[in-house]
Amino acid sequence: MDKVLIVDDDIAICQLLKKVVDFNELNSDIANSGTEALSLAMNTKYDLILMDINMGDMEGFDVIKKLRNSNILTPIIIISGRCEDYDALYGLSIGADDYITKPFRPLVIGAKIKALIRRTKNQIANNNHIIECGCFKYDTSTLRFYKNNNEIILTAKESNFILLFMNNPNKVFTKEMIYDHVWGHTVAVDDNTIMVYINRLRNKIEEDIQNPKYIVTVRGSGYRFFTG
């Protein structure tokens, strides 16, 4: 059975999220602090993490950064009382896969949890081979990505992006097409969210992010992945 880590210092919110997880027939652990969350996530395999931002000992943002820096790529959904666009974009930029504001609708949370777990597992199951495009290589059996044989660490959502591009080199993708392939119909995302992920990938693979040569903007249309 898939397992979810719930991270929040509000006991009532934890219990509500646990009910959502239980209702969707998933197992769960609860952490009431950032320190506890780090300990659990680094020593237990989870299929998804639900992460609050405002906690007593450290911000959820810091927890996410520490996990990603430790090469823990478990999908993360931020659930926060902060509703500013900056917080959502920042959370996505450091490795979160989705950002949901409180108060939330339990049925929506449940649907997003199951969809993100399913998409992550399908990515592994349906792509058990090596994809090579120019100087890039992606091992879909291990979810490891390389440029010139040097590994580049990607989050789950970044992996979805790069697989879409590598499976369709030189094809122009509109933002609507990217939304459909990467998020499906489970969440609503805006242009800023897609740009966050494009910029994150450019920061990781481009020699000059001001003049990208791999992920290229096609003015008025979308993006094209050139393999060199």
Side-chain angles (χ1 to χ4, degrees), residues 4 11-12 18 21-22 28 30 37-38 44 92 96 98 131 137-138 140 145-146 152 157 163 168 170 178 194 226:
V4 176
I11 303 301
K18 179 172 172 48
V21 171
D22 289 347
S28 64
I30 293 175
L38 283 172
T44 306
L92 295 173
D98 200 355
I131 301 172
K137 180 173 68 175
Y138 196 104
T140 56
F145 175 63
Y146 304 85
I152 296 174
K157 196 66 71 182
L163 279 171
N168 301 275
N170 302 316
I178 292 173
I194 292 174
F226 280 112

PDB file of all heavy atoms in Angstrom, residues 4 11-12 18 21-22 28 30 37-38 44 92 96 98 131 137-138 140 145-146 152 157 163 168 170 178 194 226:
ATOM      1  N   VAL A   4       2.092   7.883   2.689  1.00  0.00           N
ATOM      2  CA  VAL A   4       2.167   9.336   2.645  1.00  0.00           C
ATOM      3  C   VAL A   4       2.703   9.859   3.971  1.00  0.00           C
ATOM      4  O   VAL A   4       2.296   9.394   5.039  1.00  0.00           O
ATOM      5  CB  VAL A   4       0.780   9.948   2.363  1.00  0.00           C
ATOM      6  CG1 VAL A   4       0.838  11.477   2.413  1.00  0.00           C
ATOM      7  CG2 VAL A   4       0.244   9.473   1.017  1.00  0.00           C
ATOM      8  N   ILE A  11      -2.191  19.945  15.010  1.00  0.00           N
ATOM      9  CA  ILE A  11      -2.683  18.579  15.220  1.00  0.00           C
ATOM     10  C   ILE A  11      -4.008  18.342  14.496  1.00  0.00           C
ATOM     11  O   ILE A  11      -4.230  17.280  13.909  1.00  0.00           O
ATOM     12  CB  ILE A  11      -2.842  18.281  16.723  1.00  0.00           C
ATOM     13  CG1 ILE A  11      -1.519  18.506  17.457  1.00  0.00           C
ATOM     14  CG2 ILE A  11      -3.321  16.850  16.935  1.00  0.00           C
ATOM     15  CD1 ILE A  11      -0.387  17.646  16.948  1.00  0.00           C
ATOM     16  N   ALA A  12      -4.883  19.351  14.520  1.00  0.00           N
ATOM     17  CA  ALA A  12      -6.195  19.196  13.880  1.00  0.00           C
ATOM     18  C   ALA A  12      -6.049  19.008  12.367  1.00  0.00           C
ATOM     19  O   ALA A  12      -6.740  18.169  11.764  1.00  0.00           O
ATOM     20  CB  ALA A  12      -7.070  20.407  14.188  1.00  0.00           C
ATOM     21  N   LYS A  18      -4.984  13.010   7.665  1.00  0.00           N
ATOM     22  CA  LYS A  18      -4.919  11.553   7.874  1.00  0.00           C
ATOM     23  C   LYS A  18      -6.238  10.900   7.448  1.00  0.00           C
ATOM     24  O   LYS A  18      -6.234   9.822   6.841  1.00  0.00           O
ATOM     25  CB  LYS A  18      -4.593  11.218   9.324  1.00  0.00           C
ATOM     26  CG  LYS A  18      -4.538   9.713   9.595  1.00  0.00           C
ATOM     27  CD  LYS A  18      -4.032   9.399  10.977  1.00  0.00           C
ATOM     28  CE  LYS A  18      -4.172   7.909  11.306  1.00  0.00           C
ATOM     29  NZ  LYS A  18      -3.664   7.031  10.221  1.00  0.00           N
ATOM     30  N   VAL A  21      -6.228  10.707   3.718  1.00  0.00           N
ATOM     31  CA  VAL A  21      -5.334   9.639   3.271  1.00  0.00           C
ATOM     32  C   VAL A  21      -5.958   8.273   3.520  1.00  0.00           C
ATOM     33  O   VAL A  21      -5.937   7.388   2.655  1.00  0.00           O
ATOM     34  CB  VAL A  21      -3.969   9.763   3.968  1.00  0.00           C
ATOM     35  CG1 VAL A  21      -3.093   8.549   3.688  1.00  0.00           C
ATOM     36  CG2 VAL A  21      -3.244  11.041   3.512  1.00  0.00           C
ATOM     37  N   ASP A  22      -6.513   8.088   4.710  1.00  0.00           N
ATOM     38  CA  ASP A  22      -7.170   6.816   5.042  1.00  0.00           C
ATOM     39  C   ASP A  22      -8.331   6.530   4.093  1.00  0.00           C
ATOM     40  O   ASP A  22      -8.516   5.392   3.637  1.00  0.00           O
ATOM     41  CB  ASP A  22      -7.691   6.844   6.483  1.00  0.00           C
ATOM     42  CG  ASP A  22      -6.564   6.803   7.509  1.00  0.00           C
ATOM     43  OD1 ASP A  22      -5.417   6.500   7.129  1.00  0.00           O
ATOM     44  OD2 ASP A  22      -6.836   7.091   8.692  1.00  0.00           O
ATOM     45  N   SER A  28      -0.158   6.217   6.269  1.00  0.00           N
ATOM     46  CA  SER A  28       0.408   7.535   6.544  1.00  0.00           C
ATOM     47  C   SER A  28       1.224   7.530   7.831  1.00  0.00           C
ATOM     48  O   SER A  28       0.987   6.735   8.739  1.00  0.00           O
ATOM     49  CB  SER A  28      -0.700   8.592   6.655  1.00  0.00           C
ATOM     50  OG  SER A  28      -1.551   8.324   7.752  1.00  0.00           O
ATOM     51  N   ILE A  30       2.859  10.763  10.504  1.00  0.00           N
ATOM     52  CA  ILE A  30       2.671  12.173  10.811  1.00  0.00           C
ATOM     53  C   ILE A  30       3.917  12.725  11.476  1.00  0.00           C
ATOM     54  O   ILE A  30       4.474  12.103  12.383  1.00  0.00           O
ATOM     55  CB  ILE A  30       1.442  12.397  11.722  1.00  0.00           C
ATOM     56  CG1 ILE A  30       0.157  12.044  10.970  1.00  0.00           C
ATOM     57  CG2 ILE A  30       1.385  13.848  12.218  1.00  0.00           C
ATOM     58  CD1 ILE A  30      -1.098  12.115  11.836  1.00  0.00           C
ATOM     59  N   ALA A  37      10.158  15.589  10.377  1.00  0.00           N
ATOM     60  CA  ALA A  37       9.882  15.279   8.980  1.00  0.00           C
ATOM     61  C   ALA A  37      11.151  14.843   8.253  1.00  0.00           C
ATOM     62  O   ALA A  37      11.142  13.868   7.495  1.00  0.00           O
ATOM     63  CB  ALA A  37       9.273  16.497   8.280  1.00  0.00           C
ATOM     64  N   LEU A  38      12.244  15.561   8.491  1.00  0.00           N
ATOM     65  CA  LEU A  38      13.515  15.197   7.860  1.00  0.00           C
ATOM     66  C   LEU A  38      13.966  13.807   8.269  1.00  0.00           C
ATOM     67  O   LEU A  38      14.403  13.009   7.437  1.00  0.00           O
ATOM     68  CB  LEU A  38      14.591  16.221   8.223  1.00  0.00           C
ATOM     69  CG  LEU A  38      14.544  17.551   7.478  1.00  0.00           C
ATOM     70  CD1 LEU A  38      15.544  18.526   8.080  1.00  0.00           C
ATOM     71  CD2 LEU A  38      14.840  17.351   5.992  1.00  0.00           C
ATOM     72  N   THR A  44      12.712   6.515   5.668  1.00  0.00           N
ATOM     73  CA  THR A  44      11.532   5.738   5.274  1.00  0.00           C
ATOM     74  C   THR A  44      11.183   6.081   3.836  1.00  0.00           C
ATOM     75  O   THR A  44      11.279   7.243   3.421  1.00  0.00           O
ATOM     76  CB  THR A  44      10.331   6.071   6.178  1.00  0.00           C
ATOM     77  OG1 THR A  44      10.695   5.901   7.546  1.00  0.00           O
ATOM     78  CG2 THR A  44       9.142   5.171   5.855  1.00  0.00           C
ATOM     79  N   LEU A  92       7.534  25.870  -5.677  1.00  0.00           N
ATOM     80  CA  LEU A  92       7.749  25.081  -6.888  1.00  0.00           C
ATOM     81  C   LEU A  92       9.198  25.169  -7.357  1.00  0.00           C
ATOM     82  O   LEU A  92       9.770  24.191  -7.836  1.00  0.00           O
ATOM     83  CB  LEU A  92       6.808  25.567  -7.992  1.00  0.00           C
ATOM     84  CG  LEU A  92       5.310  25.363  -7.745  1.00  0.00           C
ATOM     85  CD1 LEU A  92       4.510  26.050  -8.845  1.00  0.00           C
ATOM     86  CD2 LEU A  92       4.945  23.891  -7.667  1.00  0.00           C
ATOM     87  N   ALA A  96       9.059  21.512  -4.924  1.00  0.00           N
ATOM     88  CA  ALA A  96       7.716  20.986  -4.663  1.00  0.00           C
ATOM     89  C   ALA A  96       7.015  20.709  -5.988  1.00  0.00           C
ATOM     90  O   ALA A  96       7.351  21.285  -7.024  1.00  0.00           O
ATOM     91  CB  ALA A  96       6.902  21.976  -3.831  1.00  0.00           C
ATOM     92  N   ASP A  98       3.427  20.615  -6.188  1.00  0.00           N
ATOM     93  CA  ASP A  98       2.137  21.313  -6.213  1.00  0.00           C
ATOM     94  C   ASP A  98       2.055  22.184  -4.966  1.00  0.00           C
ATOM     95  O   ASP A  98       2.783  21.966  -3.985  1.00  0.00           O
ATOM     96  CB  ASP A  98       0.973  20.314  -6.264  1.00  0.00           C
ATOM     97  CG  ASP A  98      -0.324  20.933  -6.764  1.00  0.00           C
ATOM     98  OD1 ASP A  98      -0.358  22.161  -6.984  1.00  0.00           O
ATOM     99  OD2 ASP A  98      -1.308  20.198  -6.941  1.00  0.00           O
ATOM    100  N   ILE A 131      16.733   6.647 -22.690  1.00  0.00           N
ATOM    101  CA  ILE A 131      16.413   7.613 -23.738  1.00  0.00           C
ATOM    102  C   ILE A 131      17.643   8.497 -23.928  1.00  0.00           C
ATOM    103  O   ILE A 131      18.179   9.036 -22.960  1.00  0.00           O
ATOM    104  CB  ILE A 131      15.206   8.485 -23.352  1.00  0.00           C
ATOM    105  CG1 ILE A 131      13.973   7.622 -23.090  1.00  0.00           C
ATOM    106  CG2 ILE A 131      14.903   9.506 -24.452  1.00  0.00           C
ATOM    107  CD1 ILE A 131      12.811   8.401 -22.525  1.00  0.00           C
ATOM    108  N   LYS A 137      20.938  12.024 -21.573  1.00  0.00           N
ATOM    109  CA  LYS A 137      20.513  10.629 -21.404  1.00  0.00           C
ATOM    110  C   LYS A 137      19.627  10.529 -20.172  1.00  0.00           C
ATOM    111  O   LYS A 137      19.922  11.139 -19.132  1.00  0.00           O
ATOM    112  CB  LYS A 137      21.731   9.715 -21.248  1.00  0.00           C
ATOM    113  CG  LYS A 137      21.370   8.238 -21.067  1.00  0.00           C
ATOM    114  CD  LYS A 137      22.620   7.367 -21.097  1.00  0.00           C
ATOM    115  CE  LYS A 137      23.504   7.587 -19.882  1.00  0.00           C
ATOM    116  NZ  LYS A 137      24.651   6.657 -19.839  1.00  0.00           N
ATOM    117  N   TYR A 138      18.539   9.771 -20.299  1.00  0.00           N
ATOM    118  CA  TYR A 138      17.635   9.555 -19.166  1.00  0.00           C
ATOM    119  C   TYR A 138      17.399   8.062 -19.007  1.00  0.00           C
ATOM    120  O   TYR A 138      16.947   7.392 -19.929  1.00  0.00           O
ATOM    121  CB  TYR A 138      16.298  10.268 -19.389  1.00  0.00           C
ATOM    122  CG  TYR A 138      15.488  10.394 -18.117  1.00  0.00           C
ATOM    123  CD1 TYR A 138      15.396  11.604 -17.434  1.00  0.00           C
ATOM    124  CD2 TYR A 138      14.805   9.301 -17.588  1.00  0.00           C
ATOM    125  CE1 TYR A 138      14.663  11.730 -16.270  1.00  0.00           C
ATOM    126  CE2 TYR A 138      14.082   9.406 -16.423  1.00  0.00           C
ATOM    127  CZ  TYR A 138      14.005  10.620 -15.775  1.00  0.00           C
ATOM    128  OH  TYR A 138      13.278  10.725 -14.611  1.00  0.00           O
ATOM    129  N   THR A 140      15.133   5.632 -17.497  1.00  0.00           N
ATOM    130  CA  THR A 140      13.797   5.641 -16.911  1.00  0.00           C
ATOM    131  C   THR A 140      13.574   4.520 -15.897  1.00  0.00           C
ATOM    132  O   THR A 140      12.583   4.533 -15.180  1.00  0.00           O
ATOM    133  CB  THR A 140      12.730   5.541 -18.012  1.00  0.00           C
ATOM    134  OG1 THR A 140      12.973   4.376 -18.794  1.00  0.00           O
ATOM    135  CG2 THR A 140      12.772   6.769 -18.907  1.00  0.00           C
ATOM    136  N   PHE A 145      19.044  11.246 -14.660  1.00  0.00           N
ATOM    137  CA  PHE A 145      19.211  12.076 -15.854  1.00  0.00           C
ATOM    138  C   PHE A 145      20.656  12.544 -15.952  1.00  0.00           C
ATOM    139  O   PHE A 145      21.275  12.908 -14.942  1.00  0.00           O
ATOM    140  CB  PHE A 145      18.264  13.275 -15.758  1.00  0.00           C
ATOM    141  CG  PHE A 145      18.409  14.284 -16.853  1.00  0.00           C
ATOM    142  CD1 PHE A 145      18.147  13.966 -18.177  1.00  0.00           C
ATOM    143  CD2 PHE A 145      18.791  15.592 -16.548  1.00  0.00           C
ATOM    144  CE1 PHE A 145      18.272  14.912 -19.179  1.00  0.00           C
ATOM    145  CE2 PHE A 145      18.921  16.545 -17.544  1.00  0.00           C
ATOM    146  CZ  PHE A 145      18.656  16.207 -18.863  1.00  0.00           C
ATOM    147  N   TYR A 146      21.204  12.532 -17.172  1.00  0.00           N
ATOM    148  CA  TYR A 146      22.612  12.849 -17.364  1.00  0.00           C
ATOM    149  C   TYR A 146      22.790  13.822 -18.524  1.00  0.00           C
ATOM    150  O   TYR A 146      22.067  13.757 -19.529  1.00  0.00           O
ATOM    151  CB  TYR A 146      23.422  11.587 -17.671  1.00  0.00           C
ATOM    152  CG  TYR A 146      23.303  10.497 -16.649  1.00  0.00           C
ATOM    153  CD1 TYR A 146      22.252   9.576 -16.705  1.00  0.00           C
ATOM    154  CD2 TYR A 146      24.240  10.374 -15.621  1.00  0.00           C
ATOM    155  CE1 TYR A 146      22.132   8.570 -15.754  1.00  0.00           C
ATOM    156  CE2 TYR A 146      24.133   9.359 -14.674  1.00  0.00           C
ATOM    157  CZ  TYR A 146      23.075   8.472 -14.747  1.00  0.00           C
ATOM    158  OH  TYR A 146      22.955   7.473 -13.809  1.00  0.00           O
ATOM    159  N   ILE A 152      22.504  14.899 -13.392  1.00  0.00           N
ATOM    160  CA  ILE A 152      21.821  16.116 -12.955  1.00  0.00           C
ATOM    161  C   ILE A 152      20.590  15.676 -12.174  1.00  0.00           C
ATOM    162  O   ILE A 152      19.767  14.911 -12.677  1.00  0.00           O
ATOM    163  CB  ILE A 152      21.411  16.988 -14.153  1.00  0.00           C
ATOM    164  CG1 ILE A 152      22.658  17.467 -14.902  1.00  0.00           C
ATOM    165  CG2 ILE A 152      20.567  18.173 -13.695  1.00  0.00           C
ATOM    166  CD1 ILE A 152      22.337  18.227 -16.183  1.00  0.00           C
ATOM    167  N   LYS A 157       8.542  16.350 -10.844  1.00  0.00           N
ATOM    168  CA  LYS A 157       7.894  17.145 -11.880  1.00  0.00           C
ATOM    169  C   LYS A 157       8.882  17.560 -12.962  1.00  0.00           C
ATOM    170  O   LYS A 157       8.547  17.576 -14.149  1.00  0.00           O
ATOM    171  CB  LYS A 157       7.250  18.384 -11.260  1.00  0.00           C
ATOM    172  CG  LYS A 157       6.229  19.066 -12.169  1.00  0.00           C
ATOM    173  CD  LYS A 157       5.014  18.197 -12.422  1.00  0.00           C
ATOM    174  CE  LYS A 157       4.144  18.081 -11.194  1.00  0.00           C
ATOM    175  NZ  LYS A 157       2.976  17.215 -11.389  1.00  0.00           N
ATOM    176  N   LEU A 163      11.240  14.300 -19.673  1.00  0.00           N
ATOM    177  CA  LEU A 163      10.826  13.122 -20.442  1.00  0.00           C
ATOM    178  C   LEU A 163       9.912  13.517 -21.600  1.00  0.00           C
ATOM    179  O   LEU A 163      10.006  12.954 -22.692  1.00  0.00           O
ATOM    180  CB  LEU A 163      10.119  12.121 -19.522  1.00  0.00           C
ATOM    181  CG  LEU A 163      11.030  11.221 -18.695  1.00  0.00           C
ATOM    182  CD1 LEU A 163      10.215  10.436 -17.678  1.00  0.00           C
ATOM    183  CD2 LEU A 163      11.807  10.268 -19.594  1.00  0.00           C
ATOM    184  N   ASN A 168      10.132  13.813 -27.446  1.00  0.00           N
ATOM    185  CA  ASN A 168       9.622  14.564 -28.595  1.00  0.00           C
ATOM    186  C   ASN A 168      10.595  15.680 -28.972  1.00  0.00           C
ATOM    187  O   ASN A 168      10.241  16.863 -28.965  1.00  0.00           O
ATOM    188  CB  ASN A 168       8.250  15.168 -28.268  1.00  0.00           C
ATOM    189  CG  ASN A 168       7.214  14.132 -27.904  1.00  0.00           C
ATOM    190  OD1 ASN A 168       6.576  13.552 -28.774  1.00  0.00           O
ATOM    191  ND2 ASN A 168       7.047  13.897 -26.602  1.00  0.00           N
ATOM    192  N   ASN A 170      12.676  18.499 -30.737  1.00  0.00           N
ATOM    193  CA  ASN A 170      12.419  19.466 -31.807  1.00  0.00           C
ATOM    194  C   ASN A 170      10.938  19.746 -32.061  1.00  0.00           C
ATOM    195  O   ASN A 170      10.593  20.499 -32.972  1.00  0.00           O
ATOM    196  CB  ASN A 170      13.088  19.020 -33.116  1.00  0.00           C
ATOM    197  CG  ASN A 170      14.581  18.847 -32.965  1.00  0.00           C
ATOM    198  OD1 ASN A 170      15.253  19.675 -32.368  1.00  0.00           O
ATOM    199  ND2 ASN A 170      15.107  17.741 -33.490  1.00  0.00           N
ATOM    200  N   ILE A 178       1.786  21.257 -22.660  1.00  0.00           N
ATOM    201  CA  ILE A 178       2.616  20.915 -21.498  1.00  0.00           C
ATOM    202  C   ILE A 178       1.731  20.639 -20.290  1.00  0.00           C
ATOM    203  O   ILE A 178       1.929  19.654 -19.567  1.00  0.00           O
ATOM    204  CB  ILE A 178       3.617  22.048 -21.196  1.00  0.00           C
ATOM    205  CG1 ILE A 178       4.661  22.141 -22.306  1.00  0.00           C
ATOM    206  CG2 ILE A 178       4.289  21.820 -19.842  1.00  0.00           C
ATOM    207  CD1 ILE A 178       5.579  23.330 -22.194  1.00  0.00           C
ATOM    208  N   ILE A 194       4.299  27.128 -15.148  1.00  0.00           N
ATOM    209  CA  ILE A 194       5.059  26.455 -16.204  1.00  0.00           C
ATOM    210  C   ILE A 194       6.403  27.137 -16.395  1.00  0.00           C
ATOM    211  O   ILE A 194       7.444  26.474 -16.541  1.00  0.00           O
ATOM    212  CB  ILE A 194       4.246  26.437 -17.513  1.00  0.00           C
ATOM    213  CG1 ILE A 194       3.028  25.511 -17.345  1.00  0.00           C
ATOM    214  CG2 ILE A 194       5.114  25.968 -18.682  1.00  0.00           C
ATOM    215  CD1 ILE A 194       2.078  25.513 -18.516  1.00  0.00           C
ATOM    216  N   PHE A 226      15.766  21.379 -28.274  1.00  0.00           N
ATOM    217  CA  PHE A 226      16.789  21.071 -29.263  1.00  0.00           C
ATOM    218  C   PHE A 226      17.825  20.144 -28.629  1.00  0.00           C
ATOM    219  O   PHE A 226      18.274  20.373 -27.512  1.00  0.00           O
ATOM    220  CB  PHE A 226      17.484  22.348 -29.733  1.00  0.00           C
ATOM    221  CG  PHE A 226      16.702  23.123 -30.766  1.00  0.00           C
ATOM    222  CD1 PHE A 226      16.163  24.349 -30.452  1.00  0.00           C
ATOM    223  CD2 PHE A 226      16.519  22.624 -32.038  1.00  0.00           C
ATOM    224  CE1 PHE A 226      15.451  25.080 -31.384  1.00  0.00           C
ATOM    225  CE2 PHE A 226      15.808  23.337 -32.987  1.00  0.00           C
ATOM    226  CZ  PHE A 226      15.261  24.563 -32.664  1.00  0.00           C
TER     227      PHE A 226
END
